[in-house]
Amino acid sequence: MTLSNNEAQKKSIGIVGARGHTGAELIRLIAAHPSLELAFVSSRELDGQSVADHVDGYSGELRYASLDAQAVAGQAADVVILALPNGAAASYVEAIDAAHPQTLILDLSADYRFDERWYYGLPELTRDKWHGQKRISNPGCYATAMQLSIAPLKDLLAAPPVCFGVSGYSGAGTTPSDKNDPEKLRDNLMPYALTGHMHEKEASRHLGVPVEFMPHVAPHFRGLTVTTNLYLSRKMTREEVLQRFRNAYDAEPLVRVVDEAPWVSHIAHRHHAEIGGFALSADGKRVVIVATLDNLLKGAATQAMQNINLAIGCAELAGIDPETTGRP
């Protein structure tokens, strides 16, 4: 069979840990990508089952396979996405490093977000730090929202930013727990990890300023809200604050600065983040900013595709239409 030029140029990509919510979103995005072809999807629980039976928006014949680290490395894919729990990526990275070091690895866990050898890919803030690295660490969902909320005012902070976060229960993954049990979450708001959360450490590290973060889980399925309180070293007007955010993000198709505080119900299945509110205290030295994003898309899968596109030489939004939803 003779391949067309477009097909011949497609890069192969595989996903490890594809059973989760983010894995399904990645499969949909890859299916719509003009330059990527899904080569394998690894899942112990779904081994042998048809991907199309589990993921709306995918119509190929691929089946899930249970692949250990050596088997994943043996696939020799151009790109491998690791969508595994924290602490599980190392064996796969080591196997790929040994067998096919030119394979592009994108890790969705927190395992390499503090490793200087890996590119930390929050494109709107770190795009100029990518220098051909083949190892990419995808930011956390909350950490993305916090950093986007704080970065334009980072030089004017008088105290550590304080962030109150609320996420849908999809952020707790598919392994059963109190944090993703709809019955326990019904009519409830569940606080957890109120100091020292991984995303608190991550945002502090990459912003270069201490950040305080208090996460909660709510009964809705997807989407998160972060409300950030910023004390400023000098008085500012609302228009000055807005202008800083417009200067930072007006050219960014996946970050939208809005006037009112955004609603999480408006961001579900959307590829972009929204930042708004910009409420100032009477003395002009405190501002409260609200950011929303879909934790499975801009907080994970969409951002992963931005980073992969950058690394394989595609337009950053290849396979991503910011004007449409990610809903299948």
Side-chain angles (χ1 to χ4, degrees):
M1 179 177 67
T2 301
L3 296 176
S4 68
N5 288 339
N6 186 52
E7 290 172 322
Q9 293 170 359
K10 285 192 174 184
K11 292 186 178 294
S12 61
I13 183 169
I15 306 172
V16 182
R19 180 177 72 96
H21 303 307
T22 299
E25 298 294 351
L26 286 164
I27 290 168
R28 294 186 189 104
L29 284 168
I30 292 167
H33 198 289
S35 300
L36 291 173
E37 183 174 18
L38 195 58
F40 68 87
V41 285
S42 177
S43 168
R44 290 193 306 272
E45 294 86 348
L46 301 178
D47 185 23
Q49 298 183 41
S50 168
V51 175
D53 288 346
H54 290 270
V55 181
D56 293 335
Y58 177 79
S59 58
E61 298 181 359
L62 200 63
R63 292 183 176 274
Y64 293 96
S66 180
L67 304 175
D68 63 15
Q70 296 302 321
V72 167
Q75 298 291 313
D78 295 309
V79 183
V80 172
I81 299 173
L82 301 178
L84 295 163
N86 291 343
S91 62
Y92 293 89
V93 173
E94 290 168 5
I96 294 169
D97 279 347
H100 298 282
Q102 287 307 303
T103 291
L104 175 69
I105 303 175
L106 182 136
D107 182 45
L108 285 161
S109 78
D111 291 7
Y112 297 97
R113 292 176 189 159
F114 302 87
D115 190 326
E116 293 293 341
R117 297 168 298 177
W118 285 57
Y119 166 67
Y120 178 77
L122 204 173
E124 292 79 11
L125 301 181
T126 69
R127 199 180 281 120
D128 61 349
K129 296 180 181 179
W130 183 78
H131 301 296
Q133 295 96 320
K134 292 284 189 177
R135 304 290 177 262
I136 299 175
S137 179
N138 217 57
C141 53
Y142 272 133
T144 295
M146 287 190 280
Q147 290 177 80
L148 291 174
S149 299
I150 296 166
L153 293 172
K154 187 174 73 168
D155 61 318
L156 292 177
L157 295 177
V162 179
C163 305
F164 181 90
V166 180
S167 174
Y169 62 85
S170 60
T174 55
T175 301
S177 73
D178 288 353
K179 291 186 292 183
N180 59 18
D181 184 332
E183 288 304 313
K184 291 182 179 178
L185 288 168
R186 189 186 304 276
D187 301 321
N188 190 19
L189 190 65
M190 189 178 294
Y192 69 100
L194 295 177
T195 61
H197 188 283
M198 180 64 72
H199 292 187
E200 176 181 275
K201 298 174 184 177
E202 178 184 341
S204 299
R205 163 70 176 269
H206 292 285
L207 283 170
V209 298
V211 176
E212 298 171 359
F213 174 50
M214 300 161 289
H216 299 69
V217 181
H220 63 277
F221 178 69
R222 63 195 297 156
L224 63 79
T225 302
V226 171
T227 301
T228 299
N229 187 72
L230 299 169
Y231 288 98
L232 307 175
S233 59
R234 67 171 175 84
K235 180 178 180 179
M236 295 187 76
T237 66
R238 189 173 191 271
E239 186 54 41
E240 286 178 307
V241 172
L242 264 171
Q243 194 58 52
R244 283 215 170 204
F245 279 81
R246 290 173 180 145
N247 290 344
Y249 301 129
D250 273 359
E252 296 291 350
L254 297 187
V255 179
R256 299 183 187 176
V257 177
V258 298
D259 190 62
E260 299 296 325
W263 290 10
V264 71
S265 60
H266 294 168
I267 206 69
H269 299 281
R270 309 290 301 192
H271 293 295
H272 66 278
E274 292 188 352
I275 304 175
F278 306 110
L280 267 78
S281 60
D283 65 2
K285 297 185 73 173
R286 170 180 169 242
V287 60
V288 179
I289 294 166
V290 179
T292 60
L293 55 80
D294 187 316
N295 54 297
L296 302 179
L297 291 174
K298 181 56 178 165
T302 300
Q303 192 144 261
M305 296 309 301
Q306 286 180 269
N307 286 318
I308 290 168
N309 284 335
L310 178 68
I312 66 174
C314 288
E316 190 174 297
L317 297 189
I320 304 165
D321 184 349
E323 299 305 321
T324 67
T325 70
R327 192 188 304 272

